[in-house]
Structures are given as structure tokens and as C-alpha cells.
Amino acid sequence: MTDTALAPLTAKDFQTDQEVRWCPGCGDYSILAQVQKVMPTIGVPRENIVFISGIGCSSRFPYYMNTYGMHSIHGRATAIASGLKASRPELSIWIVTGDGDGLSIGGNHTIHILRRNFDVNILLFNNQIYGLTKGQYSPTSEEHKITKSTPFGSIDHPFNPLALARGADATFIARTMDRDPKHLQTMLARANKHKGASFLEIYQNCNIFNDGTFEIFTEKATKSEEVLFLEHGQPLIFGASRDKGIRLDGFTPVIANLNDGYSANDMWVHDEHDMYKAQILTRMFDDPFTAGHLPRPFGVFYETSRPCYEEVMAQQIDDAKAKKPADLDKLLRGNEVWTIN
Amino acid sequence: MTRKQEIVSDVVIKFAGDSGDGMQLTGSQFTNNTALLGIDLATFPDFPAEIRAPQGTIPGVSGYQLRFSSKPVFTPGDACDVLVAMNAAALKTNLRQLKKGGKVIANTDGFDAKNLRLANFPEGVNPLEDGSLDNYELIKMDVTKMTREALKEFTMGMKEKDRAKNMFVLGFLYWMYNRDMSSTISFLKEKFGKKDDILNSNIKALQAGYNYGDTTETFTTTYKVEKAKMEPGSYRSIMGNQAIAYGLIAASQKSGLPLFLGSYPITPASDILHDLARYKHFGVRTFQAEDEIAAIASAIGASYGGALGVTTTSGPGLALKAEAMGLAVMLEIPLVICNVQRGGPSTGLPTKTEQSDLLQAYYGRNGECPMPVVAASTPSDCFDTVFEAARISVQHMTPVICLTDGYIANGAEPWKFPQSSDLPEIKVSFKKDLDEGEEVFQPYKRDEKYVRPWAVPGTPGLENRIGGLEKQDITGNVSYDPDNHQHMVKIRQAKVDKIADYIPEQKLDSGPAKGKILVIGWGSTYGAIKSAVEELQAQGHAVSHVHIRYLRPFPKNLGEIIRNFEKILVPEINNGQLVKILRDIYLVDAKGYNKIMGIPITKTELVEHIKKML
């Protein structure tokens, strides 16, 4: 065994000379910093990493990553990544998208890349607003939201991104937030480790057009009561004094008070591989301002293994090549030939 | 019984029936049989947009026109000598194309009261009985009854037996044209090899049709068409869509770039996807995307990774791909876009032919967005044209549009196929290292062709970011600088214009270099224009023909050719598109001849039109 002569890369090696142009205070800065920190740890040479984005604030991301990168067109990063991964399976591909880019204009490609299960990582920066176009509601904005394009309140019912991803049979779904760097790093590493399409929703604050929309989940004062961190094999427990948990009443999750005769053993134990329970977890999507609401889960909701599109495609090609040589003359000649002398 | 054998030089047969009658198969079988005899031919399949329109109705009629001749053939023919009408609707739809004195082979079972009503004949009127076909030679046969009779020993149901009707008709025509049937028997064996009953019933029906001609005394004459005088060599039959698939595989082999096709099914382009999906042993990756946009986007992704990225579509699909084409122009990466044109606008006439996407190919994108455009003129020319599209694309780092249309996509002709060793290598080189003195990679630094380097992911030291935002020249960094934008718009145009230095000069297809009228065509009008112009030349008129494959940029000498003629005529199956571009670029008073009926221009109408201009 020989140690590599090169010094290991650091976060700095993933920074570019381009001036980062997000608004000061934007949640994207934290996500960029965490991604740059995680990259040296994933064991992939820098030249084999590709960041592909669509259009929107989040989609500026590739310009700031010293890897290969493409800032493409609105909604199509997933489709471009599909073609790249199909032809270059060895690359580590990261798709950076937002709630508008990935769920509105690019919604179709999002569900299809998930069902095909290309081995890529999709980072969905969800800020529940259109930032780059200066403040219209997005497909994740809450009902009745007043924005520039909805002065009387939005009448759109929002998407629940993880339920949508689960519905498209994603093999990895997880949620994290910009304001919890450690958790964000852990989730990025998990997404990378998963073989198949990883769908990571990142709650991201837009301090200009939708400031504080996730405050209740991200700020110290409320976080521990409102956020349920999922850990595989552990009971679902939350609360500032870790005195509340979630148990299942039939198929319905309910809050149980551990001071009220329940023990941790009575609680729902998280199993990342349980598809049915993952379905219920994605539906824990209550408005945090209504009485009796459930906490919002963060972490890995679900992970399963399914063959990846690019692998099966490569296999079909290898099998075909083994059976038949690529003989261009034979192809051009075909089966029925006549000769004129 | 004595039979007369007549030698004829040129025959046009139209097979017409209900779309469930198997007319496309009958036609293509007769075509292959003809081709194998070394007779020149051209075909024109014509089918409804509906898979199964209501049986017996006029919208349900499917047709297949075949012209074969001992002389060179350039079109499937303006009018038919023989019309096979499997039902009343098929007769009604196609009779006006039949020459006076031509033969009608009518399946009487398809002219019962119900079929006559469905074909909108007035109550009590049967064209087979009322003398309205007196100007033609009418051959009536109860194909259904005779097929059932021939298959009476088979245990299959009546419906299955009736499916072999087309084989009976084919057998009869084989007899009429003195053919050996073994090509069709081998075909049936390959197709139904494992299904004994279906195989044997089809062969039996085929033979029954042949024997019917042979033993029935009413038929006194058989016909023979001699071999055509064609250039020596080996030939096969080829259809346009197939030739596109082969041309792409050849380009992939000759460039060493793996082929990736991103496509979404659309008529009449889907066959390219079907065909390429079969050639996995050539390393071809086909990806049936979720929509037209994902189809082109995936091809861009593959191309970014160093593959020969291709997308195939038809008009409405090209419209959906417009924004992504703009991205490819901005990224300056290779991409081949094949557009098999059909009647438009909107859904238009999906199964009919038209040349109405030239302006879309030229201009149909936001911003100043120049892209090379090439067009194929015949089914076999699709091979060379798409090969050229791929060459230009990878050597000039640009998306290229390759236009064909429904007529040549589905039409067949003999093809003197090349040997792989005859095909030129397509030289491509990926950038592997920094240039001397280059500290960081400059993705938009250009060579003498104004072409930027192709650096694919996986190459250490060349990590770079590209995208749809305006680029700073050389560095590729995002730039909003006014002077830079002007410079980049101009250089993207100059890059495309420069391609004119790397394509062949335009040649006259026929006629004098100086003369009265120059007929300029592009795409599938080739055969009609060639035939018309040569007829006029034979009559002593100074008419010449130019057919343009390289539509953007034009060959450098095109303007010179144009200036040598008094009048310019541009026949097109659209409302006047190439004529607009020629008038724009060459300031020439070119006139259009425009037919927008979803069908090809005929030689006859063109001859008449040109005569009026002389």
C-alpha cells in the first residue's frame, strides 16, 4: 500500500475565483459552505464531480464549485444529468435545483429521474418563493400567501416535496435545513453514499422575499419543539426536554407525552427501509401554526435499493456486444443485396 | 393455354386498402422482391394518422405507391398504372390518380352494401357494376372468399384467415409480374417461424393468389420489367429513417464517439428511435425521454460528457426543443438534431409530408442563435447528410439541424451502400491538458475555425463551468459587458459562417452553367425537380437544376451560380421558405412554386409551370 503523494483536498480546493453573488444573508451561503466541506470527504477525484443546475438563485451554485459544472436552462438540469449519467456512469453528479426550478417548470423531469433511479444527488433548495424573479409564489408556497403575483393571496395548494418524491418511487428521500450545518453535512454525505437517485430537500431561507418562513424549525427557541430528527433504529422523540414522542395509532401518528405514562418503548421506532411508514412520515406536514400539529421530520425518511438506470443500460450494451460484433459493413449491407455488373 | 408476356419499362402500382388490411406490408414485400431483381424503384407510403380509423371509411384508407422501372427512377410516379383496391373507400380515395386505361384490381367483398355506404357512395350505386369504371381495365376478384376457400383446412378462426387476404393479392401480383416468390416466403418464415399455423396459412394464401392468376383463363397477359441500367455495384433497399439510423452509427464508428440518442416518440420520426434501439452491440445508447425537452436535454448532457449526442423529432417537437438548442449554441458543444418534417402548424398533418420547418430551423430560437442546417434529398441521401451533420457538429462544436421529411423518411429506394472503408474518418480531439502558458483552463479560447476546445468531465486540471448566461470571450466567465456581448454574438455567427470553408462547393445537378431558368430545390423535392428539368432539357430548353444540401451556411459559390441565370424558381412543399432566404441573402428575384397539400410535388405539374416561365 502506498500513501498518495498529493495532499488531501480541502474545502478551499472546491472554491472558485468567481465572486459569490447571492444576497447577503441568503441561506445559499451556508449550503455552499457545507457542500464544499463535504466534497473532500466523498472519495471522488475532483475532475469526476459535476454540478448541474437549472435556473434560479440556487442554480448559480455550479459557478462557485471548482469542479466540472453546467448552469443550464430552467427546469432541465435533471434531464441533462440523465443523459450525462447514462453515458458516463463513473461521474459523481450533483443536481442543484429549487422549488420553482425542480417542482414547477422542471417538475416532469424530477419525477422521471426519480423513477428511473439514476445514481445522482438532487439538492432541492426549498425557500417557498421565487427569488430570482423577485418574489412570486412558488409551488411550495403556502395557501393564501400574499406575494407580488398573488396580492389577494395564493389559491394554489402547495406540493409536499418529499411525498411527491416518494410517490415517484425515489429510492432515497431526506430533509435538512440551511441553519443546521452539521445535519446538512450529514445528509449530504448520506445522499452521496446512496446508490440511486437521492432526493434531499433543504429548507433554505430567502431573507429578501420570504424571510423567516422556516424560522420555527430553524431557530433555537422553537426548533426542539417543532423538529423531529429521524434516526434509524431510534424511537421518534422530540421536545426541549426530549419528553415527547410519536406513536402510531393504527396508521395515524399521534404525539405522546413521555411524562404521561408512556415510555420510549411505546414510540414509533424509525426504520429507513420501511416504505409504508416512510409514506406516513412524508405526510407529517402540518402547518406549524395550528394547534395540536405534529412536529416536522428531518433526516433520512426512506432509503431502498433498486437497480440504477445507467447500470442496466450499460449491462444491456455489454451483453449485446458479447453476442454480436459491431460490424459496420454488415450493418450497411443488410440481408438482401443484389449486384449490378 | 397460351399466355402473352409483355415487356414494359415503367410501372406504378398503388396498393390501397383499409388500414387493417396490411397494405404497407404488401407494398414493402413487392418492393423488396423488385429491388432484388435489380429493377430501379421508388416508393411512397401514405397512411392515416389513426392507427385503426373506423373500418371501411375514407379516413381509414392506407396506401403504398411503388414505381419500378428498367430506367432510372427519381420519383414514385405522378399517376398509377395499377390500383389495388381492397374496398370501396380505397377505390374512391385513389381513383383520380389512376391513368386512363389503367388496371383496377378490386376485392369485390370490399364493395358490399356496408362498405359502399361507409365510402359514401349513394344508395344503390356500386362502381364495380354501374359502368363508371369503363375507362379502366377492371379486374374483380372476391379475395376474401378465395382466401377463406384456400385456407379451409386450417383450424384457425375466420378473422385470422381473413388476415391473409393481403398475401392472396400479393401472390396474384407476383404472378402478373412474373416473379419468384421466395423473398416473401423467407420473410414470412423469419416473421412467423414459431407460429406454424400463421406461417403456413400466409404461404398458402400467397400461393393461392399466384395460382389463381396462373389458372384462370381470363388473365391472358403477364408483364415483365427488365433490370435497370444502374451503376455497377452492390445495392440494397433503404428507407430514409433507416438511413438516418445507419448514418449516425457510421458517424459514431468513424469518430470514435459513442452514440447517444435522446428521443420522444413522434410521427414520422419514431422509426429512427426504434431502429437505433436495436443496435446496442454498436454501443448505441437510446433513451426514450419523458418529453421532447428532456430528449434534447439528455442529448446535451451526453454530448457534454463526450458522446455523439443526438435527438430526433418532427416539427412540433422541434418547437419544444428550441430553448435547449439555444443552450447548445451558447455552450458551443456538438449536438445533432434530426427533424423529420410533417404538415403543420400545430399537430397539423402528422402522417403527411411538408417542408415547412426550414424557417424554424433557421430562426426558431430566442436571441441571435445561428445553427448550421443540412437537408437530405432522397431516402439514401439521409445517410450521407446525417453523417455530414455529425461531422460538422463535432468538428465545429455546434448543434446542427438535419432536415428530412415524411416522404423520404418512409420512402424506399435502391442504395449502392458504401463500404465502411470508403467513409471518411471524423477527426475529433478532446482537450487533455492546459496549453503552454495557460494557468487556468480557458474554455472559450478559439482556434482558427473560431472553435472552442471540447474538455469533458473526468479530465484533471480542466475543471470549468459553462452555462446559458453570456460568456466572456476566452475565459467563459459570466459577463454582462456590452462590448463583450456584441463580440460574442458576432463570433458565434462567424463560427457558423466559417463552416462554408469546410463543406463542398455547390454543384449543378443538371443543365448548363448559364441559362434561362435555374430551379433551386432542397430536400425531398429532388426527384420531381430532377425529372421535370431533365424532361425540359431533352426538349432543348436551357433549364438547370441545383439541389442544396448545405442550407446554412450555403456553399460559397452558390451566389455565383445564381447570377448566371435569368430566372430563379424555387419549388417547395411549403408557403415559400427557401425562396425568402435566397432573396434575403442574394438579393435575387427568385420565385416560388408552392404546393402545401401534404403530398409531394409531381413532375408533370412542375414541367407545366416551368414551361410557362420560359
Side-chain angles (χ1 to χ4, degrees):
Chain A
M1 218 169 92
T2 53
D3 277 344
T4 163
L6 296 166
L9 296 178
T10 66
K12 216 166 177 300
D13 295 303
F14 286 91
Q15 295 170 3
T16 66
D17 60 354
Q18 299 296 294
E19 184 196 344
V20 183
R21 288 200 188 164
W22 289 310
C23 310
C26 175
D28 289 356
Y29 283 95
S30 163
I31 304 173
L32 177 63
Q34 307 327 316
V35 170
Q36 286 169 337
K37 272 185 201 149
V38 168
M39 282 302 119
T41 70
I42 64 171
V44 180
R46 190 169 57 176
E47 65 271 17
N48 280 357
I49 300 173
V50 185
F51 276 79
I52 301 181
S53 65
I55 294 292
C57 293
S58 59
S59 289
R60 292 296 184 98
F61 204 90
Y63 291 122
Y64 311 136
M65 288 297 300
N66 191 8
T67 62
Y68 280 89
M70 188 197 293
H71 176 213
S72 76
I73 44 175
H74 210 2
R76 317 303 168 201
T78 30
I80 290 169
S82 299
L84 180 59
K85 188 70 183 177
S87 46
R88 297 286 306 279
E90 77 280 16
L91 299 175
S92 169
I93 300 179
W94 297 73
I95 295 160
V96 180
T97 183
D99 39 319
D101 189 65
L103 298 178
S104 194
I105 192 166
N108 194 27
H109 311 308
T110 300
I111 55 176
H112 288 280
I113 198 171
L114 293 176
R115 79 177 165 89
R116 290 187 182 115
N117 199 34
F118 280 101
D119 183 15
V120 297
N121 307 300
I122 303 165
L123 310 182
L124 183 109
F125 296 17
N126 183 5
N127 57 15
Q128 300 193 162
I129 198 77
Y130 282 7
L132 194 67
T133 50
K134 300 194 167 64
Q136 302 81 9
Y137 73 103
S138 90
T140 54
S141 298
E142 62 276 18
E143 280 174 35
H144 315 301
K145 189 176 190 66
I146 306 280
T147 71
K148 278 188 185 156
S149 57
T150 51
F152 297 96
S154 166
I155 52 179
D156 274 30
H157 182 71
F159 267 135
N160 171 337
L162 292 188
L164 180 77
R166 182 74 278 287
D169 268 348
T171 55
F172 177 96
I173 54 175
R175 180 185 291 138
T176 185
M177 58 183 103
D178 54 1
R179 300 292 292 272
D180 190 336
K182 267 221 161 92
H183 190 259
L184 178 48
Q185 285 176 33
T186 310
M187 290 301 109
L188 288 167
R190 284 290 309 270
N192 171 70
K193 218 175 120 199
H194 174 67
K195 194 157 176 50
S198 310
F199 187 84
L200 177 59
E201 180 188 22
I202 306 172
Y203 280 0
Q204 172 248 322
N205 190 41
C206 172
N207 57 324
I208 305 297
F209 296 107
N210 203 18
D211 195 23
T213 194
F214 298 122
E215 217 164 42
I216 196 163
F217 305 120
T218 58
E219 296 317 298
K220 241 190 180 155
T222 46
K223 184 175 176 179
S224 48
E225 291 297 325
E226 297 297 338
V227 169
L228 174 68
F229 282 108
L230 304 170
E231 275 184 68
H232 182 61
Q234 297 298 315
L236 302 188
I237 291 177
F238 68 104
S241 353
R242 311 263 318 148
D243 57 350
K244 289 180 211 153
I246 302 290
R247 64 180 188 84
L248 277 175
D249 179 7
F251 294 110
T252 309
V254 292
I255 296 174
N257 198 321
L258 293 180
N259 303 323
D260 213 12
Y262 287 105
S263 82
N265 294 337
D266 300 320
M267 297 305 123
W268 167 354
V269 175
H270 181 47
D271 177 358
E272 290 173 358
H273 311 305
D274 188 323
M275 182 182 75
Y276 298 103
K277 284 189 178 162
Q279 209 88 356
I280 298 171
L281 279 177
T282 63
R283 289 297 170 184
M284 290 176 61
F285 200 59
D286 294 347
D287 176 349
F289 298 100
T290 55
H293 67 273
L294 294 168
R296 187 82 48 105
F298 285 73
V300 177
F301 284 51
Y302 182 61
E303 181 178 26
T304 190
S305 158
R306 196 168 74 228
C308 298
Y309 188 102
E310 70 278 8
E311 279 184 343
V312 181
M313 184 182 233
Q315 189 62 52
Q316 282 192 347
I317 288 177
D318 288 347
D319 291 350
K321 281 180 170 171
K323 269 193 205 149
K324 236 185 193 178
D327 184 339
L328 184 57
D329 278 311
K330 207 171 158 199
L331 173 76
L332 299 183
R333 191 178 167 81
N335 297 324
E336 293 180 311
V337 172
W338 67 96
T339 305
I340 309 268
N341 298 313
Chain B
M1 192 173 71
T2 52
R3 283 255 167 69
K4 196 169 74 181
Q5 193 192 73
E6 207 176 291
I7 306 285
V8 286
S9 66
D10 197 327
V11 179
V12 180
I13 302 182
K14 176 95 180 232
F15 299 88
D18 197 70
S19 48
D21 280 341
M23 289 298 100
Q24 301 301 324
L25 179 75
T26 313
S28 59
Q29 279 303 303
F30 199 92
T31 299
N32 284 355
N33 190 286
T34 306
L36 287 170
L37 292 172
I39 299 167
D40 202 5
L41 63 87
T43 73
F44 178 41
D46 174 23
F47 36 79
E50 296 80 9
I51 301 301
R52 291 278 187 276
Q55 213 177 359
T57 61
I58 287 178
V61 174
S62 171
Y64 187 103
Q65 186 167 319
L66 164 67
R67 178 180 180 197
F68 53 105
S69 173
S70 52
K71 289 181 287 192
V73 166
F74 301 106
T75 77
D78 295 356
C80 316
D81 302 287
V82 180
L83 171 62
V84 176
M86 294 298 281
N87 65 15
L91 179 79
K92 189 159 207 174
T93 319
N94 290 289
L95 189 62
R96 68 191 170 112
Q97 275 185 292
L98 187 65
K99 289 177 190 163
K100 291 281 172 272
K103 292 183 176 58
V104 180
I105 299 174
N107 170 28
T108 52
D109 183 57
F111 287 80
D112 62 10
K114 187 181 168 200
N115 273 293
L116 289 165
R117 193 173 62 244
L118 286 169
N120 297 330
F121 282 100
E123 193 64 34
V125 173
N126 183 347
L128 303 187
E129 309 294 346
D130 65 0
S132 62
L133 298 176
D134 283 354
N135 284 330
Y136 308 97
E137 184 185 335
L138 178 60
I139 300 169
K140 291 193 282 187
M141 329 194 266
D142 193 339
V143 177
T144 311
K145 194 175 144 197
M146 289 190 288
T147 305
R148 286 179 186 175
E149 179 65 23
L151 302 183
K152 66 177 179 223
E153 276 154 29
F154 286 79
T155 53
M156 51 180 41
M158 208 56 93
K159 234 179 163 174
E160 273 83 47
K161 287 185 182 176
D162 285 353
R163 285 215 186 104
K165 278 189 307 195
N166 60 337
M167 287 297 124
F168 186 95
V169 174
L170 182 59
F172 178 74
L173 283 160
Y174 279 156
W175 168 79
M176 199 160 143
Y177 287 94
N178 266 290
R179 296 294 176 81
D180 176 288
M181 304 199 289
S182 54
S183 68
T184 293
I185 292 172
S186 325
F187 165 82
L188 290 170
K189 279 186 180 154
E190 191 158 314
K191 191 168 163 129
F192 301 120
K194 286 180 191 127
K195 298 169 192 159
D196 271 355
D197 252 20
I198 301 182
L199 171 65
N200 293 329
S201 60
N202 272 287
I203 293 178
K204 181 92 195 201
L206 184 72
Q207 286 163 341
Y210 190 97
N211 294 339
Y212 173 70
D214 204 26
T215 53
T216 311
E217 297 195 357
T218 34
F219 307 120
T220 54
T221 315
T222 66
Y223 302 89
K224 190 164 181 193
V225 175
E226 303 281 4
K227 268 188 187 190
K229 279 189 201 71
M230 293 159 83
E231 230 181 283
S234 294
Y235 288 78
R236 58 169 291 171
S237 174
I238 189 105
M239 307 205 320
N241 276 343
Q242 199 181 9
I244 291 283
Y246 291 177
L248 289 169
I249 292 174
S252 158
Q253 296 282 308
K254 287 290 170 176
S255 61
L257 302 174
L259 179 59
F260 178 94
L261 172 73
S263 188
Y264 186 75
I266 185 169
T267 302
S270 305
D271 281 339
I272 306 172
L273 167 63
H274 305 162
D275 231 358
L276 284 174
R278 298 168 53 211
Y279 297 115
K280 291 213 161 37
H281 57 290
F282 283 96
V284 179
R285 286 173 158 78
T286 53
F287 178 64
Q288 182 176 315
E290 58 272 22
D291 60 28
E292 294 282 359
I293 298 171
I296 185 170
S298 64
I300 289 173
S303 184
Y304 175 66
L308 175 58
V310 178
T311 187
T312 50
T313 190
S314 185
L318 190 71
L320 284 164
K321 294 180 196 298
E323 189 198 12
M325 285 191 271
L327 175 66
V329 165
M330 205 68 161
L331 297 178
E332 303 193 34
I333 58 167
L335 178 69
V336 176
I337 301 130
C338 296
N339 176 19
V340 185
Q341 299 166 96
R342 67 188 214 187
S346 186
T347 312
L349 306 169
T351 59
K352 308 294 175 194
T353 202
E354 209 163 271
Q355 296 182 301
S356 46
D357 294 339
L358 179 61
L359 293 179
Q360 185 182 200
Y362 243 78
Y363 301 118
R365 293 166 292 281
N366 64 305
E368 296 290 348
C369 196
M371 272 170 62
V373 181
V374 294
S377 54
T378 71
S380 66
D381 187 54
C382 289
F383 179 87
D384 298 311
T385 305
V386 82
F387 189 89
E388 273 294 87
R391 177 189 69 83
I392 293 169
S393 178
V394 298
Q395 291 184 342
H396 295 264
M397 292 292 280
T398 176
V400 176
I401 294 184
C402 175
L403 295 173
T404 75
D405 63 35
Y407 173 46
I408 51 177
N410 291 312
E413 66 175 357
W415 179 37
K416 194 179 158 205
F417 56 91
Q419 298 296 307
S420 64
S421 54
D422 301 339
L423 298 170
E425 297 295 325
I426 298 177
K427 277 196 192 132
V428 189
S429 54
F430 295 135
K431 190 168 174 62
K432 289 285 175 209
D433 301 294
L434 293 175
D435 292 345
E436 235 181 84
E438 197 178 34
E439 272 177 24
V440 282
F441 175 47
Q442 308 290 338
Y444 280 75
K445 195 163 90 179
R446 296 165 193 281
D447 68 8
E448 71 286 354
K449 295 184 288 187
Y450 310 128
V451 171
R452 78 177 196 88
W454 194 0
V456 301
T459 318
L462 302 185
E463 292 85 357
N464 70 94
R465 275 65 54 192
I466 55 178
L469 285 172
E470 182 59 289
K471 302 276 157 289
Q472 187 180 49
D473 197 14
I474 302 170
T475 66
N477 290 332
V478 174
S479 168
Y480 294 95
D481 178 69
D483 291 334
N484 178 72
H485 180 51
Q486 168 122 357
H487 172 70
M488 291 300 275
V489 166
K490 294 286 188 190
I491 204 147
R492 283 188 288 264
Q493 180 68 54
K495 183 180 87 165
V496 170
D497 293 343
K498 191 83 182 156
I499 293 168
D501 290 346
Y502 299 88
I503 56 172
E505 290 216 324
Q506 182 65 50
K507 288 197 179 89
L508 276 175
D509 190 78
S510 70
K514 256 185 192 320
K516 182 120 187 170
I517 297 181
L518 176 66
V519 185
I520 303 181
W522 67 281
S524 71
T525 49
Y526 178 73
I529 297 176
K530 183 178 183 70
S531 311
V533 169
E534 288 184 357
E535 186 172 312
L536 290 162
Q537 287 162 359
Q539 294 168 17
H541 300 293
V543 180
S544 299
H545 174 201
V546 150
H547 217 76
I548 307 175
R549 172 191 282 171
Y550 302 90
L551 290 160
R552 189 179 200 186
F554 286 123
K556 284 192 290 189
N557 63 329
L558 182 63
E560 226 170 283
I561 295 177
I562 288 174
R563 278 185 285 278
N564 283 328
F565 291 86
E566 288 170 35
K567 291 180 180 176
I568 306 292
L569 177 69
V570 187
E572 295 178 89
I573 313 174
N574 60 36
N575 205 23
Q577 300 200 0
L578 177 63
V579 72
K580 266 198 183 75
I581 298 168
L582 292 173
R583 290 172 70 101
D584 171 23
I585 295 182
Y586 299 108
L587 299 174
V588 59
D589 186 20
K591 297 276 195 280
Y593 175 77
N594 305 98
K595 176 168 174 178
I596 320 138
M597 301 168 75
I599 49 175
I601 291 173
T602 65
K603 176 198 77 173
T604 315
E605 64 187 304
L606 209 49
V607 167
E608 274 171 33
H609 185 82
I610 298 172
K611 273 188 173 161
K612 280 186 221 150
M613 291 175 67
L614 282 163

